[in-house]
Amino acid sequence: MDIEIRTVNNIKGRGVFAKKNFPSGTVIFEEDPLVCCQFSWNASYMYRTCHHCLRPLETAQENAQRLTANEELILPYPECCSTDKSAIVSCILCGVEYCSSDCMTIAFNRYHRTLCFKTKERNNLHPLEQLNEAWKQTHYPPETNTIMIIPRLLATIQQADNPDQMLQNVLQFSHRTINEDAQLVHKLLGDKFSEQLVLLYNILLQAVPHKGVEQLLTIEGFQSLLALIGTNGQGVGTSAVSQWVTRSSELPLPDAEKQQLDNFIDKLYEDMDRVSGNFLNNEGVALFSLQSSANHSCVPNSEPTYLHNNSRLSLVALKDIAAGEEITISYLDECNLFRSRHSRHKILMENYLFICQCPKCESQVNDPDVTSNEEEDDEEMSE
């Protein structure tokens, strides 16, 4: 590995550090998630993905036709579609789909043997279905997480060759107090979080086996799991259309044909935005061991991305990183990064329970503690 994880200080805890120079644009490392799961509403809205790695199961044309509500739409250069429909397989017992037999085998050996419905009928009576529906009623789009990653996480511990070691790997994600967990769960579930917490907890107890994960299936353990996915869950997005756009844009076309393609793509995105809004991707959440060790900065030197159009994460350098330098990411989206220091600190404290001391925040330490204009506008609109 060209990185190492070591203690930063008592406030930050651990961090990721470079062991060599990484030029801007370099892939620092790649990793597959410990566990990954599609968002609940995303699945309900017919975004077809691999049940294991979230790779799209639609062709680019099928994806574009659905998102534009235009069944007559034909994409040029079909050879640029990366979806291999001939490789798609499904579980013979419950029918969930995978992009390949490899993904199906990995899923079965890692968690699906425990969670398989063992029937293709869906009547909303299975506890896992009830858990999913209960979650959807508390967490409407735009989605940021799903409780359905928790059964996969528990099953992954139970099916591991060394369940005790896997349990320790999971516990390393969390080092908060019970009160801190409660504060994070309150943020995740909303004002009625106490009622929702008990409801979701009781359904989860019926949905998964208990052996080997008893300490996580107390009410405190469940609350800790919710806080864990709330703070460490990394969003995953895949798209058959975006892959087609990337590949077709790289074709060595004559200037006139290139311009025609660019116009087509611009119109395609306009139509998709008009019909489907911002909900263009297959979306889900994942837990990554290495990426979760990276600390936040409001001037990050790297960012997580998905170069393989599945759940495999690539951490890419945003600027030159020197050997020995800490590798940081942003826990905030791009819009929030441009808000005032006060606003950034408010968001980070509410969602991650820390005060940022990055170079940008330190340089703005004398700025007035006022909310940014964007946030003020949002608050006015909500009144």
Side-chain angles (χ1 to χ4, degrees), residues 272-285:
M272 290 193 299
D273 182 66
R274 175 175 49 80
V275 174
S276 302
N278 294 322
F279 304 101
L280 302 182
N281 299 330
N282 307 313
E283 296 181 341
V285 64

Side-chain angles (χ1 to χ4, degrees), residues 331-383:
Y331 296 176
L332 303 175
D333 61 31
E334 189 173 356
C335 291
N336 284 325
L337 274 180
F338 287 98
R339 292 191 169 191
S340 69
R341 177 180 185 270
H342 179 72
S343 294
R344 299 197 307 273
H345 281 199
K346 179 181 177 182
I347 297 169
L348 289 168
M349 179 54 70
E350 287 179 351
N351 292 280
Y352 301 100
L353 304 183
F354 74 90
I355 298 296
C356 183
Q357 297 178 336
C358 73
K360 182 176 181 178
C361 288
E362 291 299 288
S363 70
Q364 298 173 342
V365 69
N366 293 321
D367 287 3
D369 286 338
V370 295
T371 305
S372 63
N373 292 334
E374 294 91 340
E375 189 170 308
E376 289 172 355
D377 291 342
D378 292 343
E379 290 176 351
E380 289 175 2
M381 290 177 64
S382 64
E383 292 178 353

